[in-house]
Amino acid sequence: MKTLFASTSRGLEELLKKELEQTGAINCKIAQGGVYFDADDKTLYQSLLWSRLASRILLPIAEFDIYSDLDLYSCVFNIKWPDIFAVDNSFVINFVGVNEFIRNSQYGALKIKDAIVDHFLRHTNERPNVAKQDPDIRLHAYLNKNRVTLSLDLSGNSLHERGYREQTGKAPLKESLAAAIIMRSGWKITEPLLDPMCGSGTLLIEAAMIASQIPPGLHRKQWGFFAWKGFNPTLWNELLFTAKHNVSKINTPFIGYDNNATVLERAKQNALQAGVGDLITFSMQDVTQLTNPLPTETVGMIISNPPYGERLESEPALIALHTALGRQIKQNFGGWRLSLFSGAPQLLDCLQMRAERQFKAKNGPLDCIQKNYVIAKRNTEEAITNSTMPATDFANRLRKNKQKLEKWAAQERLECYRLYDADLPEYNVAIDCYKDKIVMQEYAAPKNIDPQKTRQRLFDIINATMSVLELTADQLVLKTREKQKGKQQYQKLGQKQDYFLVHEYPINQRKTTFWVNVTDYLDTGLFLDHRLARKMIGEMSAGKDFLNLFAYTGSATVYAGLGGAKSTTTVDMSRTYLEWADRNLKQNGLTGKKHRLIQADCLLYLSQADEQFDLIFIDPPTFSNSKRMNDTFDVQRDHLKLMSDLKRLIRPNGTIIFSNNKRGFKMDSIGMQNLGLVYQEITNKTLSLDFKRNKQIHCCFIIKHQSL
């Protein structure tokens, strides 16, 4: 009788204990990350051949206390290594743990290697080879404080490597975890099994192997015990023969769907390698169109590992997918049972179903959850009627806004407008329409708000938005808006280069046309709240020299040019945005020397420029790092200095349109009077219907010389 240790993924220890007991193991004791058990030779081989959950099975060789690195060397040297493996076998050491004198695992492994090699040299005059790749013998050393446990790895490569899966998809489940998911689902081997997002087919293959009584180790070609002196090949071959002879023929339907033909081909090959290729039907189907392939009276089990992402850009698509999955399952699989494994519990909430059981598990470093459901029997109409919309108040407000603003935008001939702007405080997002794209900007929550609660609310908002606006997954773009410092506003979020054209108010019977990009930057290239100010510029610019400062992508310049400006000058510090402005000007037929683009710090330009203009539009940032003004610019603190420079650049009969986004901005009346400038606030005139709710989205002023 030998004492062994079977390791497994965290959270699967209890399942592994039951499995080992079924193979004949006794005195099973759960430890963190595995199970200790006693076994005779037959049970030892049975556990290796049949365990679907173990990662490795280790045979402890020695256990001892050490108080120096010399102790480690001496204790290992004194083990009778030729009784364990031959000198012509290669070996490798896996060392885990540190203490005050073994300060890194490589050093610990080196001391053990030296001791083994020296032992063989003394007793055989030969030395074994160390091989990091495909060694004949694997040894595991575990150091806990001063206690070392040295074990022989009977597995070789990890037991989750069954030998059938040569090709996988992007994020494959380990075979051992897939087997655990099957066991925890409650699936019975006589029930039909469906995986609507099967990927490389691991869940279905593991289930089919369980039903067919195919040992998970049957297709492995190499084992860690082959080079072990204690290996009994006769007993092993008898167990292999019996296992092959006892494989069952079954009629259980196994069905796998995926929307990727290449991945499905991999799944078919994997199933053939596993010996279950004739049991599983793989076919193309999009999960959003999932239907029941079996007769109405047949009930079975759905098991799947839907995709889950950690990047915000993937959330709209994933929420859409899970929402569609829940809808299709409830409509088409009444009476069935469902088990889903996910690293994002909030996504499972999109199913709008209540789980009867749930389990925790690890998928690599990720904390995951498995939820089991019973799908109620209902007809299609009931499924739709009884489903509840998350964030009901938000959904109702968005629906109301949509009805009102869609009609208004069509009358105004606008293709871009705001649908929702944090109308309800608890749903703190802005939602903008750019043709058929919807951009949702989540305002970052305060740090004292529970992140889980914030994330769940965001999921609810996305889900409701997609439902109310009837969007597909690729129509919704999600961004998080935080305070931007320095050059952060210019940093890219993506590299999709997905530019498209949109139209705004016509000027002189010509459409204003702009390139926008809703994915790659925090902003899209078009500030929607400034459209009436832009229109005003177009109406005021005929025959005038126009200056656009902090110009961004030059949309105000386009209005001025189409409005008949004598010349336009566009200034911004960003090369990216100036190139964008150049594209916008050319798109609208505004070319030639009279349309200048200048890359410069606008504050430096203002202080140094010696030319004059008839119409100036300036929309400075609320705060910015700058090479002057003590290295920072604050629009409230520094606006008089700005006005002093602007006064020098504006002709006596000229007009300045000054806008900014600082909440509560107050013009310094006395300072403006001392500068000889008069101003009129026109904020209300520049707020169109979709921004009327948010009176502080920006402020806007007309400024002229005092004498006029």
Side-chain angles (χ1 to χ4, degrees), residues 404-434:
K404 176 182 178 182
L405 293 171
E406 268 189 351
K407 184 178 179 181
W408 165 79
Q411 291 172 343
E412 296 285 307
R413 289 185 285 179
L414 298 173
E415 292 183 320
C416 308
Y417 54 94
R418 178 151 292 184
L419 272 170
Y420 177 92
D421 194 2
D423 297 28
L424 306 175
E426 62 269 33
Y427 300 108
N428 195 21
V429 298
I431 299 175
D432 295 324
C433 173
Y434 289 83

PDB file of all heavy atoms in Angstrom, residues 404-434:
ATOM      1  N   LYS A 404     -38.990  61.255 -28.950  1.00  0.00           N
ATOM      2  CA  LYS A 404     -38.982  62.711 -29.100  1.00  0.00           C
ATOM      3  C   LYS A 404     -37.845  63.183 -30.011  1.00  0.00           C
ATOM      4  O   LYS A 404     -38.049  63.995 -30.927  1.00  0.00           O
ATOM      5  CB  LYS A 404     -38.851  63.341 -27.713  1.00  0.00           C
ATOM      6  CG  LYS A 404     -38.721  64.855 -27.700  1.00  0.00           C
ATOM      7  CD  LYS A 404     -38.558  65.336 -26.266  1.00  0.00           C
ATOM      8  CE  LYS A 404     -38.373  66.842 -26.187  1.00  0.00           C
ATOM      9  NZ  LYS A 404     -38.175  67.292 -24.783  1.00  0.00           N
ATOM     10  N   LEU A 405     -36.642  62.661 -29.761  1.00  0.00           N
ATOM     11  CA  LEU A 405     -35.459  63.198 -30.428  1.00  0.00           C
ATOM     12  C   LEU A 405     -35.251  62.655 -31.834  1.00  0.00           C
ATOM     13  O   LEU A 405     -34.670  63.343 -32.688  1.00  0.00           O
ATOM     14  CB  LEU A 405     -34.221  62.932 -29.568  1.00  0.00           C
ATOM     15  CG  LEU A 405     -34.202  63.695 -28.239  1.00  0.00           C
ATOM     16  CD1 LEU A 405     -33.068  63.206 -27.352  1.00  0.00           C
ATOM     17  CD2 LEU A 405     -34.076  65.199 -28.489  1.00  0.00           C
ATOM     18  N   GLU A 406     -35.697  61.438 -32.099  1.00  0.00           N
ATOM     19  CA  GLU A 406     -35.583  60.898 -33.462  1.00  0.00           C
ATOM     20  C   GLU A 406     -36.340  61.774 -34.449  1.00  0.00           C
ATOM     21  O   GLU A 406     -35.844  62.098 -35.530  1.00  0.00           O
ATOM     22  CB  GLU A 406     -36.111  59.455 -33.509  1.00  0.00           C
ATOM     23  CG  GLU A 406     -35.058  58.399 -33.279  1.00  0.00           C
ATOM     24  CD  GLU A 406     -35.596  57.003 -33.542  1.00  0.00           C
ATOM     25  OE1 GLU A 406     -36.824  56.851 -33.730  1.00  0.00           O
ATOM     26  OE2 GLU A 406     -34.792  56.059 -33.549  1.00  0.00           O
ATOM     27  N   LYS A 407     -37.534  62.153 -34.064  1.00  0.00           N
ATOM     28  CA  LYS A 407     -38.372  62.989 -34.932  1.00  0.00           C
ATOM     29  C   LYS A 407     -37.737  64.368 -35.111  1.00  0.00           C
ATOM     30  O   LYS A 407     -37.664  64.903 -36.225  1.00  0.00           O
ATOM     31  CB  LYS A 407     -39.761  63.119 -34.322  1.00  0.00           C
ATOM     32  CG  LYS A 407     -40.752  63.892 -35.170  1.00  0.00           C
ATOM     33  CD  LYS A 407     -42.119  63.918 -34.508  1.00  0.00           C
ATOM     34  CE  LYS A 407     -43.115  64.706 -35.350  1.00  0.00           C
ATOM     35  NZ  LYS A 407     -44.453  64.756 -34.707  1.00  0.00           N
ATOM     36  N   TRP A 408     -37.246  64.944 -34.018  1.00  0.00           N
ATOM     37  CA  TRP A 408     -36.605  66.266 -34.081  1.00  0.00           C
ATOM     38  C   TRP A 408     -35.354  66.229 -34.963  1.00  0.00           C
ATOM     39  O   TRP A 408     -35.151  67.118 -35.795  1.00  0.00           O
ATOM     40  CB  TRP A 408     -36.257  66.709 -32.661  1.00  0.00           C
ATOM     41  CG  TRP A 408     -35.289  67.852 -32.605  1.00  0.00           C
ATOM     42  CD1 TRP A 408     -35.566  69.175 -32.802  1.00  0.00           C
ATOM     43  CD2 TRP A 408     -33.880  67.773 -32.351  1.00  0.00           C
ATOM     44  NE1 TRP A 408     -34.415  69.937 -32.677  1.00  0.00           N
ATOM     45  CE2 TRP A 408     -33.368  69.103 -32.401  1.00  0.00           C
ATOM     46  CE3 TRP A 408     -33.010  66.727 -32.080  1.00  0.00           C
ATOM     47  CZ2 TRP A 408     -32.014  69.376 -32.189  1.00  0.00           C
ATOM     48  CZ3 TRP A 408     -31.668  67.004 -31.861  1.00  0.00           C
ATOM     49  CH2 TRP A 408     -31.180  68.314 -31.925  1.00  0.00           C
ATOM     50  N   ALA A 409     -34.505  65.210 -34.787  1.00  0.00           N
ATOM     51  CA  ALA A 409     -33.264  65.110 -35.560  1.00  0.00           C
ATOM     52  C   ALA A 409     -33.558  64.980 -37.054  1.00  0.00           C
ATOM     53  O   ALA A 409     -32.855  65.556 -37.890  1.00  0.00           O
ATOM     54  CB  ALA A 409     -32.426  63.927 -35.076  1.00  0.00           C
ATOM     55  N   ALA A 410     -34.613  64.241 -37.388  1.00  0.00           N
ATOM     56  CA  ALA A 410     -34.980  64.085 -38.798  1.00  0.00           C
ATOM     57  C   ALA A 410     -35.407  65.430 -39.384  1.00  0.00           C
ATOM     58  O   ALA A 410     -35.042  65.776 -40.521  1.00  0.00           O
ATOM     59  CB  ALA A 410     -36.100  63.060 -38.926  1.00  0.00           C
ATOM     60  N   GLN A 411     -36.175  66.212 -38.616  1.00  0.00           N
ATOM     61  CA  GLN A 411     -36.610  67.531 -39.088  1.00  0.00           C
ATOM     62  C   GLN A 411     -35.425  68.479 -39.266  1.00  0.00           C
ATOM     63  O   GLN A 411     -35.387  69.284 -40.199  1.00  0.00           O
ATOM     64  CB  GLN A 411     -37.611  68.128 -38.100  1.00  0.00           C
ATOM     65  CG  GLN A 411     -38.947  67.396 -38.067  1.00  0.00           C
ATOM     66  CD  GLN A 411     -39.847  67.891 -36.945  1.00  0.00           C
ATOM     67  OE1 GLN A 411     -39.397  68.541 -36.008  1.00  0.00           O
ATOM     68  NE2 GLN A 411     -41.135  67.571 -37.036  1.00  0.00           N
ATOM     69  N   GLU A 412     -34.446  68.376 -38.355  1.00  0.00           N
ATOM     70  CA  GLU A 412     -33.269  69.243 -38.404  1.00  0.00           C
ATOM     71  C   GLU A 412     -32.213  68.738 -39.388  1.00  0.00           C
ATOM     72  O   GLU A 412     -31.199  69.399 -39.606  1.00  0.00           O
ATOM     73  CB  GLU A 412     -32.644  69.349 -37.002  1.00  0.00           C
ATOM     74  CG  GLU A 412     -33.518  69.993 -35.963  1.00  0.00           C
ATOM     75  CD  GLU A 412     -33.598  71.498 -36.134  1.00  0.00           C
ATOM     76  OE1 GLU A 412     -32.537  72.150 -36.194  1.00  0.00           O
ATOM     77  OE2 GLU A 412     -34.727  72.017 -36.233  1.00  0.00           O
ATOM     78  N   ARG A 413     -32.434  67.565 -39.944  1.00  0.00           N
ATOM     79  CA  ARG A 413     -31.483  66.917 -40.859  1.00  0.00           C
ATOM     80  C   ARG A 413     -30.133  66.663 -40.179  1.00  0.00           C
ATOM     81  O   ARG A 413     -29.068  66.897 -40.728  1.00  0.00           O
ATOM     82  CB  ARG A 413     -31.315  67.743 -42.137  1.00  0.00           C
ATOM     83  CG  ARG A 413     -32.542  67.707 -43.025  1.00  0.00           C
ATOM     84  CD  ARG A 413     -32.306  68.431 -44.328  1.00  0.00           C
ATOM     85  NE  ARG A 413     -32.311  69.875 -44.157  1.00  0.00           N
ATOM     86  CZ  ARG A 413     -32.117  70.743 -45.138  1.00  0.00           C
ATOM     87  NH1 ARG A 413     -31.898  70.320 -46.366  1.00  0.00           N
ATOM     88  NH2 ARG A 413     -32.122  72.037 -44.901  1.00  0.00           N
ATOM     89  N   LEU A 414     -30.212  66.181 -38.937  1.00  0.00           N
ATOM     90  CA  LEU A 414     -29.020  65.847 -38.157  1.00  0.00           C
ATOM     91  C   LEU A 414     -28.854  64.337 -38.093  1.00  0.00           C
ATOM     92  O   LEU A 414     -29.814  63.604 -37.853  1.00  0.00           O
ATOM     93  CB  LEU A 414     -29.139  66.392 -36.726  1.00  0.00           C
ATOM     94  CG  LEU A 414     -29.263  67.909 -36.569  1.00  0.00           C
ATOM     95  CD1 LEU A 414     -29.538  68.263 -35.123  1.00  0.00           C
ATOM     96  CD2 LEU A 414     -27.999  68.604 -37.066  1.00  0.00           C
ATOM     97  N   GLU A 415     -27.632  63.882 -38.280  1.00  0.00           N
ATOM     98  CA  GLU A 415     -27.347  62.448 -38.178  1.00  0.00           C
ATOM     99  C   GLU A 415     -26.696  62.080 -36.849  1.00  0.00           C
ATOM    100  O   GLU A 415     -26.536  60.900 -36.548  1.00  0.00           O
ATOM    101  CB  GLU A 415     -26.432  62.016 -39.327  1.00  0.00           C
ATOM    102  CG  GLU A 415     -27.105  62.089 -40.684  1.00  0.00           C
ATOM    103  CD  GLU A 415     -26.217  61.585 -41.799  1.00  0.00           C
ATOM    104  OE1 GLU A 415     -25.005  61.879 -41.777  1.00  0.00           O
ATOM    105  OE2 GLU A 415     -26.742  60.897 -42.694  1.00  0.00           O
ATOM    106  N   CYS A 416     -26.323  63.105 -36.066  1.00  0.00           N
ATOM    107  CA  CYS A 416     -25.663  62.868 -34.778  1.00  0.00           C
ATOM    108  C   CYS A 416     -26.345  63.721 -33.710  1.00  0.00           C
ATOM    109  O   CYS A 416     -26.503  64.934 -33.890  1.00  0.00           O
ATOM    110  CB  CYS A 416     -24.183  63.234 -34.839  1.00  0.00           C
ATOM    111  SG  CYS A 416     -23.296  62.466 -36.201  1.00  0.00           S
ATOM    112  N   TYR A 417     -26.717  63.096 -32.604  1.00  0.00           N
ATOM    113  CA  TYR A 417     -27.384  63.834 -31.533  1.00  0.00           C
ATOM    114  C   TYR A 417     -27.320  63.019 -30.251  1.00  0.00           C
ATOM    115  O   TYR A 417     -27.039  61.816 -30.260  1.00  0.00           O
ATOM    116  CB  TYR A 417     -28.845  64.144 -31.904  1.00  0.00           C
ATOM    117  CG  TYR A 417     -29.668  62.945 -32.295  1.00  0.00           C
ATOM    118  CD1 TYR A 417     -30.449  62.267 -31.357  1.00  0.00           C
ATOM    119  CD2 TYR A 417     -29.666  62.472 -33.616  1.00  0.00           C
ATOM    120  CE1 TYR A 417     -31.201  61.152 -31.727  1.00  0.00           C
ATOM    121  CE2 TYR A 417     -30.404  61.368 -33.978  1.00  0.00           C
ATOM    122  CZ  TYR A 417     -31.170  60.713 -33.034  1.00  0.00           C
ATOM    123  OH  TYR A 417     -31.905  59.605 -33.385  1.00  0.00           O
ATOM    124  N   ARG A 418     -27.569  63.693 -29.137  1.00  0.00           N
ATOM    125  CA  ARG A 418     -27.541  63.039 -27.827  1.00  0.00           C
ATOM    126  C   ARG A 418     -28.931  62.518 -27.479  1.00  0.00           C
ATOM    127  O   ARG A 418     -29.917  63.243 -27.545  1.00  0.00           O
ATOM    128  CB  ARG A 418     -27.041  63.994 -26.756  1.00  0.00           C
ATOM    129  CG  ARG A 418     -27.020  63.392 -25.351  1.00  0.00           C
ATOM    130  CD  ARG A 418     -25.941  64.009 -24.485  1.00  0.00           C
ATOM    131  NE  ARG A 418     -24.612  63.640 -24.966  1.00  0.00           N
ATOM    132  CZ  ARG A 418     -23.474  63.986 -24.354  1.00  0.00           C
ATOM    133  NH1 ARG A 418     -23.501  64.688 -23.236  1.00  0.00           N
ATOM    134  NH2 ARG A 418     -22.308  63.614 -24.865  1.00  0.00           N
ATOM    135  N   LEU A 419     -28.966  61.248 -27.084  1.00  0.00           N
ATOM    136  CA  LEU A 419     -30.237  60.610 -26.726  1.00  0.00           C
ATOM    137  C   LEU A 419     -30.510  60.648 -25.228  1.00  0.00           C
ATOM    138  O   LEU A 419     -31.667  60.653 -24.798  1.00  0.00           O
ATOM    139  CB  LEU A 419     -30.214  59.140 -27.167  1.00  0.00           C
ATOM    140  CG  LEU A 419     -30.679  58.820 -28.582  1.00  0.00           C
ATOM    141  CD1 LEU A 419     -30.355  57.376 -28.920  1.00  0.00           C
ATOM    142  CD2 LEU A 419     -32.175  59.073 -28.723  1.00  0.00           C
ATOM    143  N   TYR A 420     -29.450  60.633 -24.446  1.00  0.00           N
ATOM    144  CA  TYR A 420     -29.616  60.541 -22.990  1.00  0.00           C
ATOM    145  C   TYR A 420     -28.371  61.138 -22.356  1.00  0.00           C
ATOM    146  O   TYR A 420     -27.253  60.873 -22.800  1.00  0.00           O
ATOM    147  CB  TYR A 420     -29.778  59.076 -22.581  1.00  0.00           C
ATOM    148  CG  TYR A 420     -29.877  58.828 -21.089  1.00  0.00           C
ATOM    149  CD1 TYR A 420     -31.112  58.778 -20.449  1.00  0.00           C
ATOM    150  CD2 TYR A 420     -28.733  58.630 -20.321  1.00  0.00           C
ATOM    151  CE1 TYR A 420     -31.202  58.543 -19.080  1.00  0.00           C
ATOM    152  CE2 TYR A 420     -28.820  58.397 -18.958  1.00  0.00           C
ATOM    153  CZ  TYR A 420     -30.048  58.356 -18.347  1.00  0.00           C
ATOM    154  OH  TYR A 420     -30.130  58.125 -16.993  1.00  0.00           O
ATOM    155  N   ASP A 421     -28.560  61.953 -21.313  1.00  0.00           N
ATOM    156  CA  ASP A 421     -27.410  62.601 -20.675  1.00  0.00           C
ATOM    157  C   ASP A 421     -27.582  62.583 -19.162  1.00  0.00           C
ATOM    158  O   ASP A 421     -27.895  63.593 -18.542  1.00  0.00           O
ATOM    159  CB  ASP A 421     -27.274  64.036 -21.186  1.00  0.00           C
ATOM    160  CG  ASP A 421     -25.920  64.643 -20.823  1.00  0.00           C
ATOM    161  OD1 ASP A 421     -25.098  63.928 -20.217  1.00  0.00           O
ATOM    162  OD2 ASP A 421     -25.688  65.816 -21.134  1.00  0.00           O
ATOM    163  N   ALA A 422     -27.361  61.408 -18.575  1.00  0.00           N
ATOM    164  CA  ALA A 422     -27.472  61.243 -17.118  1.00  0.00           C
ATOM    165  C   ALA A 422     -28.791  61.825 -16.617  1.00  0.00           C
ATOM    166  O   ALA A 422     -28.836  62.468 -15.563  1.00  0.00           O
ATOM    167  CB  ALA A 422     -26.277  61.871 -16.415  1.00  0.00           C
ATOM    168  N   ASP A 423     -29.875  61.585 -17.377  1.00  0.00           N
ATOM    169  CA  ASP A 423     -31.184  62.119 -16.995  1.00  0.00           C
ATOM    170  C   ASP A 423     -31.581  61.658 -15.594  1.00  0.00           C
ATOM    171  O   ASP A 423     -32.167  62.420 -14.826  1.00  0.00           O
ATOM    172  CB  ASP A 423     -32.260  61.647 -17.989  1.00  0.00           C
ATOM    173  CG  ASP A 423     -32.024  62.148 -19.398  1.00  0.00           C
ATOM    174  OD1 ASP A 423     -30.855  62.386 -19.740  1.00  0.00           O
ATOM    175  OD2 ASP A 423     -32.997  62.281 -20.153  1.00  0.00           O
ATOM    176  N   LEU A 424     -31.259  60.405 -15.276  1.00  0.00           N
ATOM    177  CA  LEU A 424     -31.538  59.836 -13.961  1.00  0.00           C
ATOM    178  C   LEU A 424     -30.198  59.665 -13.247  1.00  0.00           C
ATOM    179  O   LEU A 424     -29.307  58.972 -13.754  1.00  0.00           O
ATOM    180  CB  LEU A 424     -32.253  58.493 -14.089  1.00  0.00           C
ATOM    181  CG  LEU A 424     -33.534  58.508 -14.934  1.00  0.00           C
ATOM    182  CD1 LEU A 424     -34.083  57.098 -15.088  1.00  0.00           C
ATOM    183  CD2 LEU A 424     -34.582  59.417 -14.305  1.00  0.00           C
ATOM    184  N   PRO A 425     -30.017  60.278 -12.076  1.00  0.00           N
ATOM    185  CA  PRO A 425     -28.701  60.292 -11.417  1.00  0.00           C
ATOM    186  C   PRO A 425     -28.084  58.914 -11.202  1.00  0.00           C
ATOM    187  O   PRO A 425     -26.870  58.752 -11.302  1.00  0.00           O
ATOM    188  CB  PRO A 425     -28.995  60.972 -10.075  1.00  0.00           C
ATOM    189  CG  PRO A 425     -30.222  61.783 -10.320  1.00  0.00           C
ATOM    190  CD  PRO A 425     -31.033  61.018 -11.317  1.00  0.00           C
ATOM    191  N   GLU A 426     -28.930  57.909 -10.932  1.00  0.00           N
ATOM    192  CA  GLU A 426     -28.368  56.581 -10.663  1.00  0.00           C
ATOM    193  C   GLU A 426     -27.899  55.871 -11.936  1.00  0.00           C
ATOM    194  O   GLU A 426     -27.198  54.857 -11.866  1.00  0.00           O
ATOM    195  CB  GLU A 426     -29.386  55.703  -9.923  1.00  0.00           C
ATOM    196  CG  GLU A 426     -30.666  55.407 -10.669  1.00  0.00           C
ATOM    197  CD  GLU A 426     -31.756  56.424 -10.403  1.00  0.00           C
ATOM    198  OE1 GLU A 426     -31.424  57.619 -10.199  1.00  0.00           O
ATOM    199  OE2 GLU A 426     -32.934  56.040 -10.408  1.00  0.00           O
ATOM    200  N   TYR A 427     -28.289  56.394 -13.097  1.00  0.00           N
ATOM    201  CA  TYR A 427     -27.835  55.826 -14.368  1.00  0.00           C
ATOM    202  C   TYR A 427     -26.991  56.890 -15.072  1.00  0.00           C
ATOM    203  O   TYR A 427     -27.445  57.601 -15.966  1.00  0.00           O
ATOM    204  CB  TYR A 427     -29.025  55.393 -15.210  1.00  0.00           C
ATOM    205  CG  TYR A 427     -29.858  54.334 -14.517  1.00  0.00           C
ATOM    206  CD1 TYR A 427     -31.114  54.624 -14.008  1.00  0.00           C
ATOM    207  CD2 TYR A 427     -29.354  53.044 -14.353  1.00  0.00           C
ATOM    208  CE1 TYR A 427     -31.860  53.659 -13.352  1.00  0.00           C
ATOM    209  CE2 TYR A 427     -30.095  52.071 -13.695  1.00  0.00           C
ATOM    210  CZ  TYR A 427     -31.337  52.389 -13.199  1.00  0.00           C
ATOM    211  OH  TYR A 427     -32.064  51.423 -12.552  1.00  0.00           O
ATOM    212  N   ASN A 428     -25.723  56.979 -14.638  1.00  0.00           N
ATOM    213  CA  ASN A 428     -24.863  58.115 -14.955  1.00  0.00           C
ATOM    214  C   ASN A 428     -24.064  57.860 -16.233  1.00  0.00           C
ATOM    215  O   ASN A 428     -22.857  57.621 -16.206  1.00  0.00           O
ATOM    216  CB  ASN A 428     -23.931  58.377 -13.776  1.00  0.00           C
ATOM    217  CG  ASN A 428     -23.265  59.731 -13.867  1.00  0.00           C
ATOM    218  OD1 ASN A 428     -23.743  60.626 -14.549  1.00  0.00           O
ATOM    219  ND2 ASN A 428     -22.146  59.881 -13.188  1.00  0.00           N
ATOM    220  N   VAL A 429     -24.741  57.909 -17.361  1.00  0.00           N
ATOM    221  CA  VAL A 429     -24.106  57.725 -18.660  1.00  0.00           C
ATOM    222  C   VAL A 429     -24.635  58.775 -19.630  1.00  0.00           C
ATOM    223  O   VAL A 429     -25.691  59.370 -19.400  1.00  0.00           O
ATOM    224  CB  VAL A 429     -24.366  56.317 -19.250  1.00  0.00           C
ATOM    225  CG1 VAL A 429     -23.780  55.231 -18.366  1.00  0.00           C
ATOM    226  CG2 VAL A 429     -25.856  56.084 -19.491  1.00  0.00           C
ATOM    227  N   ALA A 430     -23.867  58.989 -20.682  1.00  0.00           N
ATOM    228  CA  ALA A 430     -24.338  59.782 -21.818  1.00  0.00           C
ATOM    229  C   ALA A 430     -24.422  58.853 -23.023  1.00  0.00           C
ATOM    230  O   ALA A 430     -23.551  58.005 -23.219  1.00  0.00           O
ATOM    231  CB  ALA A 430     -23.389  60.937 -22.104  1.00  0.00           C
ATOM    232  N   ILE A 431     -25.484  58.998 -23.806  1.00  0.00           N
ATOM    233  CA  ILE A 431     -25.686  58.140 -24.970  1.00  0.00           C
ATOM    234  C   ILE A 431     -25.890  59.015 -26.198  1.00  0.00           C
ATOM    235  O   ILE A 431     -26.817  59.827 -26.244  1.00  0.00           O
ATOM    236  CB  ILE A 431     -26.902  57.208 -24.771  1.00  0.00           C
ATOM    237  CG1 ILE A 431     -26.667  56.305 -23.557  1.00  0.00           C
ATOM    238  CG2 ILE A 431     -27.145  56.363 -26.021  1.00  0.00           C
ATOM    239  CD1 ILE A 431     -27.859  55.436 -23.205  1.00  0.00           C
ATOM    240  N   ASP A 432     -24.990  58.852 -27.166  1.00  0.00           N
ATOM    241  CA  ASP A 432     -25.026  59.656 -28.382  1.00  0.00           C
ATOM    242  C   ASP A 432     -25.238  58.773 -29.597  1.00  0.00           C
ATOM    243  O   ASP A 432     -24.706  57.660 -29.669  1.00  0.00           O
ATOM    244  CB  ASP A 432     -23.714  60.425 -28.562  1.00  0.00           C
ATOM    245  CG  ASP A 432     -23.491  61.449 -27.463  1.00  0.00           C
ATOM    246  OD1 ASP A 432     -24.476  62.050 -27.013  1.00  0.00           O
ATOM    247  OD2 ASP A 432     -22.326  61.629 -27.057  1.00  0.00           O
ATOM    248  N   CYS A 433     -25.985  59.298 -30.550  1.00  0.00           N
ATOM    249  CA  CYS A 433     -26.245  58.599 -31.800  1.00  0.00           C
ATOM    250  C   CYS A 433     -25.372  59.198 -32.897  1.00  0.00           C
ATOM    251  O   CYS A 433     -25.369  60.418 -33.104  1.00  0.00           O
ATOM    252  CB  CYS A 433     -27.726  58.732 -32.157  1.00  0.00           C
ATOM    253  SG  CYS A 433     -28.151  58.078 -33.777  1.00  0.00           S
ATOM    254  N   TYR A 434     -24.601  58.358 -33.584  1.00  0.00           N
ATOM    255  CA  TYR A 434     -23.833  58.755 -34.759  1.00  0.00           C
ATOM    256  C   TYR A 434     -24.269  57.850 -35.906  1.00  0.00           C
ATOM    257  O   TYR A 434     -23.795  56.738 -36.040  1.00  0.00           O
ATOM    258  CB  TYR A 434     -22.335  58.597 -34.507  1.00  0.00           C
ATOM    259  CG  TYR A 434     -21.762  59.604 -33.553  1.00  0.00           C
ATOM    260  CD1 TYR A 434     -21.852  59.419 -32.178  1.00  0.00           C
ATOM    261  CD2 TYR A 434     -21.135  60.759 -34.011  1.00  0.00           C
ATOM    262  CE1 TYR A 434     -21.322  60.347 -31.292  1.00  0.00           C
ATOM    263  CE2 TYR A 434     -20.597  61.689 -33.138  1.00  0.00           C
ATOM    264  CZ  TYR A 434     -20.709  61.472 -31.772  1.00  0.00           C
ATOM    265  OH  TYR A 434     -20.186  62.397 -30.894  1.00  0.00           O
TER     266      TYR A 434
END
